[in-house]
Amino acid sequence: MLKLTFLGTSSGVPTIRRNVTALALHSTMNRDWWLVDCGEATQHQLQRIALTVHDLAGICITHIHGDHSYGLPGLLASASMTGRKKPLILVAPAGVKAWLDATMLHTELFLTFDIIHIDVAGQDVVHRQQGLQIERIPLSHRVPSFGFKFSFEKTTWKVDSEALRARGVAPGPAWGQLQHGKDVQLDDGSVLVAAEFRAEHSERAVVVIGGDNDQPPLLAEACAGADVLVHEATYTEAVLQKVGPGPQHSSVERITRFAALAEVPNLVLTHFSPRYDNPEGMAEVHAEARQHYSRNLFLARDFDTYELNDGVLAKLPPAPRSK
Amino acid sequence: MLKLTFLGTSSGVPTIRRNVTALALHSTMNRDWWLVDCGEATQHQLQRIALTVHDLAGICITHIHGDHSYGLPGLLASASMTGRKKPLILVAPAGVKAWLDATMLHTELFLTFDIIHIDVAGQDVVHRQQGLQIERIPLSHRVPSFGFKFSFEKTTWKVDSEALRARGVAPGPAWGQLQHGKDVQLDDGSVLVAAEFRAEHSERAVVVIGGDNDQPPLLAEACAGADVLVHEATYTEAVLQKVGPGPQHSSVERITRFAALAEVPNLVLTHFSPRYDNPEGMAEVHAEARQHYSRNLFLARDFDTYELNDGVLAKLPPAPRSK
């Protein structure tokens, strides 16, 4: 029902294998997709997967730091150069919008589409449309930082197959008409009323995506009933102790302890310090995470795609690169 | 004596094989190197070669367009995060400096080193140091655009080996002392005066690098006596005719005609429209170039490194990637 594709999983600076932060969310209901954060070279990462900037519905920026935002001007410029007309929603701090305005002014960037800016600080529900609601959650970091809660809802009508079979109606065109809400007259002249033979069936998928944040419990309310939490785990606890509280990031221990307590069923850790970008480093992160969290756990890598179905998150096999 | 490494050779938008514009110049005299233009993801390209941002002496930006400048904030941020202290020279339009200031303000980017900004519009000679002079040449584009002429000079002292042999002095420590300017007393008591047995030997390498430009003859004076010209060839002539003069770029025909007339001995074309990023496209570009220019010609690709020695430019075999 919902897919997450990681486009950048490194904290602060890119490494040879990991770009700075960006995450694509795409439901299986339509071609629209959303981008959370847009570090430098996000447009380059997009060239390696099947999503296009033309189907991008909106971008949510968690906070103003460059490793989460410096890919924005290039991505918007390229979308213009390749002919985008559709307006783009930008949920972001006012500083990001001010920076984008300054960029357009000083570098003569003329966009071929409108940017609909929604100040992330202004309201809890930052976007709502049929089948999707996005809320933002204030977090704790060196600059104002926010998490985003994406609630997808897919509503379908299903016919009551048992009742139809009991009534002597075999699967066929009549089933389709009833499903679409049309009453059906049978050969014997009797009428099946659609309202009696179909019922609404709704599926929900709730994903919480944290921005940079040193206080995971701020996400407690948002995580109640959520299917997936994606959160930074910049350092192991020992390194966080050594680095000190200045950077205001979470350790693996802190976020996994929280996720266990909040009973989050699926957890994806990301935004790792470049010091862990080697097999030993990731093994260390994994070991620390497993000490505190025993449910469905993933350490994100660039180009990982995860699919959520019936509440279970699974990593998909690598897709053949599209270009 | 001088190397050029292309970090981006695509016009406007990156392709899967070519990034947007950036070019590294490094002399073989020291570890310092210079960057001309800094498109998005230049720092990512640098991770694949042996040059580091810590040895970067300065950056020259030809004009304000994003495909030549959007990599600047990320590169500077990463240099800060990895501890650079040495000031960095930035030769750039005032608009680029204003944009960088706005970026630092709005995204809370704090650099750990000073930026020494030199307004490219302000003077002909934008930088001069022992062994290197950089001049800028105003060009013709939709926004003010400049080319850069790098004149490297390497001065060494050589001993007069013939004269020394005639004097009965075999190669050995005495030769080294004379080369360093020290007089030498021989076993027979006689003295060899350094000034008589050594001479200054100087090598020059002059490279002209164009920014976006639809009037190659503006580089005529700069190219007189230059060893290498690097210039955009965004379109073939037929496509330029179709696109019209609006974008103010050069065609392959126009730049190669100019280079032939100006007797440029080595020519590297770059900044190709993405439409040519396939074997047929590059063959078309090559064929058009060869109609007008018969000397040493190259069509740049990302990560190509060229070395200039004794006036001849040669492409080096691909280096093993350093990381």
Side-chain angles (χ1 to χ4, degrees), chain B residues 289-320:
Chain B
R290 271 298 179 228
Q291 279 178 38
H292 309 287
Y293 182 81
S294 59
R295 301 181 73 170
N296 201 17
L297 170 74
F298 299 95
L299 310 184
R301 293 185 312 185
D302 284 24
F303 301 112
D304 274 358
T305 293
Y306 299 89
E307 183 159 359
L308 180 70
N309 277 312
D310 299 326
V312 179
L313 192 72
K315 187 168 150 184
L316 299 184

Side-chain angles (χ1 to χ4, degrees), chain A residues 14 19 40-41 44 47 70 103 107, chain B residues 14 19 40-41 44 47 70 107:
Chain A
N19 197 24
E40 182 180 357
H44 298 68
Q47 291 190 315
Y70 284 169
T103 302
T107 70
Chain B
N19 199 24
E40 183 180 357
H44 298 67
Q47 291 190 316
Y70 284 169
T107 71

Side-chain angles (χ1 to χ4, degrees), chain A residues 2 17 28 33 65 69 90 107-108 115 120 127 142 183 188 249 252 256 262 276 293 306 308 316 318:
Chain A
L2 183 75
R17 282 168 294 269
T28 53
W33 63 281
H65 283 153
S69 65
L90 176 66
T107 70
E108 299 205 8
I115 299 283
V120 69
H127 180 72
R142 306 197 296 283
D183 298 344
D188 66 6
H249 283 300
V252 180
T256 49
Y276 303 107
Y293 182 81
Y306 299 89
L308 180 70
L316 298 184

Side-chain angles (χ1 to χ4, degrees), chain B residues 51 130 150 176 195 212 254 259 285:
Chain B
L51 297 174
Q130 177 67 34
F150 283 75
D212 287 8
R254 292 175 196 194
V285 168

Side-chain angles (χ1 to χ4, degrees), chain B residues 202-256:
Chain B
S202 106
E203 251 182 291
R204 293 188 76 223
V206 178
V207 179
V208 176
I209 298 159
D212 287 8
N213 175 37
D214 69 354
Q215 290 184 41
L218 291 171
L219 288 164
E221 198 183 321
C223 283
D227 298 295
V228 182
L229 171 62
V230 176
H231 199 279
E232 62 127 319
T234 308
Y235 306 116
T236 50
E237 179 64 23
V239 169
L240 186 144
Q241 294 284 351
K242 205 153 51 178
V243 169
Q248 291 195 242
H249 283 299
S250 282
S251 71
V252 180
E253 178 179 333
R254 292 175 196 194
I255 182 61
T256 49

Side-chain angles (χ1 to χ4, degrees), chain A residues 43-54 319-323, chain B residues 14-17:
Chain A
Q43 65 163 325
H44 298 68
Q45 300 289 82
L46 280 174
Q47 291 190 315
R48 301 185 174 273
I49 64 169
L51 297 174
T52 79
V53 80
H54 293 276
R321 295 198 168 172
S322 64
K323 284 167 201 163
Chain B
T15 74
I16 200 88
R17 281 168 295 269

